Each structure stands twice: as C-alpha cells, then as structure tokens.
C-alpha cells in the first residue's frame, strides 16, 4: 500500500519529538505498491481534518484560536512556553470557563532563562491549572528518559491536536519569529493516540518529572497577564489521513520509509543535520536522498547556515 495523489503529495511535518504524516488518499494493489527503504516501520493512519499553518506568517494565531475553543480539557507538552498570551488564555480557560488545563514543560531549555515562564505558569497553577516539569534542574541524568522533551503540542477536548515545530514564545507569536510550521488536526483517533503519549510523559511517578511546586516552592505568580484573540490569518482545511511519528521511538525509520517510497520528489528543510545522516552512502538519510536523485527524482534540500556546532561543520562540509 502506498499513499499518493499527484496534486497533493504525502507530507512529513517533523519535529524532534512529534511528527505528523499527512496523505490525502490511499491507493491499494500492485499499481500503488512501492518498496520501502525501511520495512520495519508501518504507519498507523487516522482520518482527520487538517489545517496547516506556517511561522512567522501566522504569528501563531491558530494556537490561540484553537485553545480558545476548549470546553473541557487542554493538555500541553512543550519544550518552552514563554508566551504571555498563551498562558493568559490558559488562565482564563481554567478560571472562567472551568476547563481542566495541564501543562508539561522542559526544565532546562538550552540558552533560555525560565524565570518569567515559571512565574507565569505559577499564575496558571494559582487559578487551578496543573504544571509539571520534566528534566527539572537537578534531575539525575540516569533518570532522564529523553535527552530533551522537544515537542510542542496541545490536545484539546480529546478531539483536536495542535502540533508545531516552534516554541510558543512572544517572538514566534509575533512577526519576527522563526521559519516553522504547525497543523491543527481534528481527529478523535489521533487525539487518543497523543493522549497516551502525554500521560506517559506527564506522570510524576517517573523519576524525571516533578510538579512545579516541588521544583520551585518559593516562586511567585506573575499576576495580571493578558491575551488577544486575533482573526487576521486563515489557512485551508484538508481531509486527510495522519500518522503519528515520535522520537526517539520510530522517527528515523519513518523518514527512511517515506523517503524510500518517494516516486516524484523529496523536499527537505532543516536547522541542522548530524554526521550519521549526512554521508552519501550507508544508513544515512542524505544517502537515501542521493540515491533517489540518481534515479531522476526531484530532490531539494535547505540547511540553515547560521546554526552550527563543531559536528555541523563536518556535516555541512
């Protein structure tokens, strides 16, 4: 079975921790069958209505729009959430609309001071929300299940999921944020799957998770914060099937599966790439792309030139 339609390609929207594969139609039988570079991966699809959006054009407007529709529950797992507007809206949902809000954030985002974030999250907690911290400061490295919890998603009323590549910050919800993407996915099946991921990561019985109060018992709530629901951005909605992909569970095998199944094009845009995936041969994603280009498939790659570690220098070379 291969998923394809000439005018709308299969799209892999990838983040480090959560990805969504979107494909509009299913073609079964020999005519639609394509050998996969990694047969160990088998996608599970859920029927959905999908509304994609981009940063910085959207200013994160769909995030606020979808959160504002919550009627019963909001569960968020995110690397860093420094947006006053998002947290103020969550406070309003919890306090005024009787929506149960739970948030899981990373305790040590690279290069970011979290004082203001934690103070605003304390404000959310003060009105009834729940906040847990994973990989909290002082967490023993042997207890950490993940190097980073780098995902950014919300599950709303157990039927809608908002997934983004970008952290929810004032910059990314403004006009000068990063280039990035997001998707609003309306699907009870997909939301149920993501709920299972959330519950496993959020649970304080795991040694790498503690409550906000346990980590910062003396932190002061921020006080008044505000938000504005904007209506200056819209994007079309598509009927599609979505397949969840999570890292570190199956992200590389999924990439190899879909790249190996490509018959017309592979377009990739990335912040960086490590040396294991940058070689032209062997078990490498660039190797798969190189092979496909040699077969006449349209292959294009955009790599960010401003982000560079010592390993990146070798990879880019």
């Amino acid at each position: 079975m291969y998923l394809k339609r000439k005018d709308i390609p299969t799209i892999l929207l990838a983040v480090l921790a959560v990805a969504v594969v979107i494909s509009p139609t299913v073609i079964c039988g020999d005519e639609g069958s394509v050998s996969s570079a990694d047969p160990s991966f088998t996608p599970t699809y859920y029927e959905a209505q999908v509304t994609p959006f981009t940063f910085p054009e959207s200013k994160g407007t769909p995030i606020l729009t979808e959160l504002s529709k919550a009627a019963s529950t909001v569960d968020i797992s995110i690397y860093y959430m420094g947006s006053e507007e998002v947290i103020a809206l969550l406070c309003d949902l919890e306090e005024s609309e009787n929506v149960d809000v739970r948030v899981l954030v990373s305790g040590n985002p690279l290069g970011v001071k979290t004082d203001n974030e934690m103070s605003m999250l304390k404000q959310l907690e003060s009105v009834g929300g729940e906040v847990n911290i994973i990989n909290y400061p002082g967490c023993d490295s042997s207890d950490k299940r993940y190097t980073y919890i780098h995902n950014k998603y919300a599950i709303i009323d157990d039927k809608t999921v908002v997934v983004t590549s970008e952290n929810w910050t004032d910059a990314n919800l403004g006009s000068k944020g990063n280039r990035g993407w997001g998707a609003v996915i309306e699907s009870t099946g997909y939301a149920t799957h993501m709920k299972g991921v959330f519950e496993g990561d959020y649970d304080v019985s795991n040694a790498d998770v503690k409550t906000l109060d346990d980590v910062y018992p003396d932190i002061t709530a921020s006080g008044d914060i505000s938000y504005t629901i904007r209506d200056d951005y819209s994007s079309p909605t598509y009927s599609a099937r979505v397949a969840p992909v999570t890292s570190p569970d199956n992200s590389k095998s999924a990439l190899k599966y879909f790249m190996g199944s490509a018959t017309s094009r592979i377009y990739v845009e990335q912040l960086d790439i490590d040396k294991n995936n940058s070689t032209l041969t062997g078990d490498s994603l660039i190797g798969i792309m190189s092979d496909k280009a040699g077969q006449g498939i349209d292959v294009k790659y955009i790599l960010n030139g401003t982000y560079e570690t010592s390993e990146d220098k070798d990879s880019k070379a």
Side-chain angles (χ1 to χ4, degrees), residues 13 22 48-54 62 66 69 161-163 181-186 233-240 242:
L13 305 174
I22 303 173
Q49 295 293 304
V50 179
T51 306
F53 58 95
T54 56
E66 294 305 316
K69 297 177 184 177
V161 181
V162 181
V163 185
W181 63 265
V184 177
I185 304 160
E186 298 176 62
Y233 179 86
S234 63
S235 181
T237 298
Y238 302 92
S239 295
V242 300

Side-chain angles (χ1 to χ4, degrees), residues 23-89:
S23 187
T25 56
V26 179
I27 303 173
C28 299
D30 294 338
E31 183 181 0
S33 298
V34 178
S35 62
S36 167
D38 193 339
S40 65
F41 175 78
T42 302
T44 299
Y45 290 101
Y46 300 97
E47 298 291 341
Q49 295 293 304
V50 179
T51 306
F53 58 95
T54 56
F55 294 90
E57 294 87 353
S58 71
K59 301 179 183 179
T61 296
I63 299 170
L64 294 167
T65 299
E66 294 305 316
L67 288 174
S68 69
K69 297 177 184 177
S72 57
T73 60
V74 171
D75 295 318
I76 296 173
S77 180
I78 193 165
Y79 184 60
Y80 176 70
M81 186 162 64
S83 167
E84 175 181 328
E85 285 196 297
V86 170
I87 298 177
L89 173 54

Side-chain angles (χ1 to χ4, degrees), residues 69-108:
K69 297 177 184 177
S72 57
T73 60
V74 171
D75 295 318
I76 296 173
S77 180
I78 193 165
Y79 184 60
Y80 176 70
M81 186 162 64
S83 167
E84 175 181 328
E85 285 196 297
V86 170
I87 298 177
L89 173 54
L90 295 175
C91 289
D92 189 46
L93 289 171
E94 178 72 49
E95 187 173 26
S96 302
E97 305 298 331
N98 200 31
V99 173
D100 292 330
V101 178
R102 297 186 297 174
V103 176
L104 178 68
V105 294
S106 176
N108 282 303

Side-chain angles (χ1 to χ4, degrees), residues 14 44 66-67 79 81 93 95 104-105 121 130 198 225 238 240 247 261 264 276 284 302-303 316:
T44 299
E66 294 305 316
L67 288 174
Y79 184 60
M81 186 162 64
L93 289 171
E95 187 173 26
L104 178 68
V105 294
L121 289 172
E130 295 182 14
F198 176 85
I225 48 180
Y238 302 92
S247 178
S261 300
S264 58
N276 293 325
S284 163
I302 299 176
L303 183 65
K316 290 175 182 177

